[in-house]
Amino acid sequence: ALMYGVVGFVFLFAAIWTGLWFSDRLVAPLVRLLDAARRVTRGELDAKVDVIEGPDDLQTLSRTFNLMTGRIKHQRDELVDANDTLDARQRFTAAMLEGVSAGVIGIDPAGNISLVNRSALLLLGVNEAELRGKAAETVLPDFTPIFTLALSRPSGFAEGQVDMQLRGESRSFFARVTTESSETESHGYVLTFDDITDLVSAQRNSAWA
């Protein structure tokens, strides 16, 4: 009985050891995948798992995971490069707008003011908070006829003289409205204007002379 008990214990121990060995070979790749997935969530897109010899499903899963992280890293790098390019273009556009003497106002497709340069604020005698995000027809009613004319034309372009009262003085502006459009849709409008009060006054005086 003792001999049979020892032999049975040996077989039981061998069976347990075999089960643990098999489960370890089965679970270890999944543990490595889980660890690599945690590293990816922390931003380590270089995380890879070793493709080990084993069941075809585990090999396929490992290869797919490595392929997925490689594509995510590639797409992330492309997005970062594109974002850097957009930032550079925005800084260049902002610097260019600040350097021109004409007033420039960007209007989105909904008719709200989305961009105002410094010259526009100085010419109109207002601050940015009074214009940005507001409806152009509400805060710039004197420019509405030219804006409406541009909307009615297929080219989306209109220009003309605008006379308005600013700080108790009569000022004249030459304004243009152009459309920001692509082949498929319109993206918004740009209103540019220059103060031509002195020119109009000179022409009037010349006419009277």
Side-chain angles (χ1 to χ4, degrees), residues 5-206:
V6 171
V7 172
F9 179 77
V10 169
F11 275 105
L12 178 62
F13 178 78
I16 294 174
W17 182 85
T18 303
L20 291 175
W21 175 81
F22 179 76
S23 63
D24 182 68
R25 285 181 56 86
L26 181 64
V27 173
L30 299 179
V31 173
R32 285 195 290 270
L33 277 173
L34 182 60
D35 180 65
R38 290 196 184 101
R39 291 164 56 193
V40 170
T41 59
R42 293 195 297 265
E44 300 179 24
L45 299 182
D46 293 326
K48 301 291 183 182
V49 293
D50 296 330
V51 180
I52 62 172
E53 296 297 330
D56 292 340
D57 292 341
L58 291 179
Q59 292 186 23
T60 302
L61 183 60
S62 300
R63 292 193 183 96
T64 303
F65 180 86
N66 291 336
L67 181 62
M68 178 192 69
T69 55
R71 288 181 176 177
I72 292 176
K73 184 177 184 301
H74 178 69
Q75 293 175 355
R76 194 273 305 271
D77 293 341
E78 288 184 339
L79 289 175
V80 170
D81 292 341
N83 188 60
D84 291 341
T85 301
L86 288 176
D87 287 342
R89 289 179 179 176
Q90 289 177 352
R91 289 193 297 269
F92 173 78
T93 302
M96 181 181 66
L97 290 178
E98 293 301 326
V100 298
S101 59
V104 180
I105 296 178
I107 304 172
D108 63 23
N112 298 321
I113 296 175
S114 59
L115 181 147
V116 184
N117 74 336
R118 185 183 306 170
S119 296
L121 299 177
L122 293 175
L123 291 173
L124 297 176
V126 296
N127 57 58
E128 189 173 357
E130 297 179 55
L131 298 180
R132 186 180 288 272
K134 307 294 180 59
E137 295 183 355
T138 302
V139 295
L140 299 173
D142 297 292
F143 292 96
T144 299
I146 293 181
F147 185 63
T148 303
L149 182 61
L151 293 178
S152 65
R153 293 178 173 176
S155 63
F157 174 80
E159 62 181 18
Q161 181 175 325
V162 176
D163 298 317
M164 55 193 302
Q165 293 291 326
L166 293 175
R167 300 180 293 276
E169 297 181 0
S170 178
R171 309 298 296 181
S172 298
F173 298 101
F174 185 75
R176 293 184 180 89
V177 175
T178 56
T179 304
E180 300 178 25
S181 60
S182 64
E183 297 180 354
T184 57
E185 60 180 347
S186 297
H187 300 286
Y189 309 90
V190 176
L191 168 65
T192 59
F193 55 95
D194 276 304
D195 190 346
I196 59 172
T197 304
D198 295 337
L199 176 61
V200 171
S201 179
Q203 290 177 342
R204 186 180 296 113
N205 292 335
S206 177

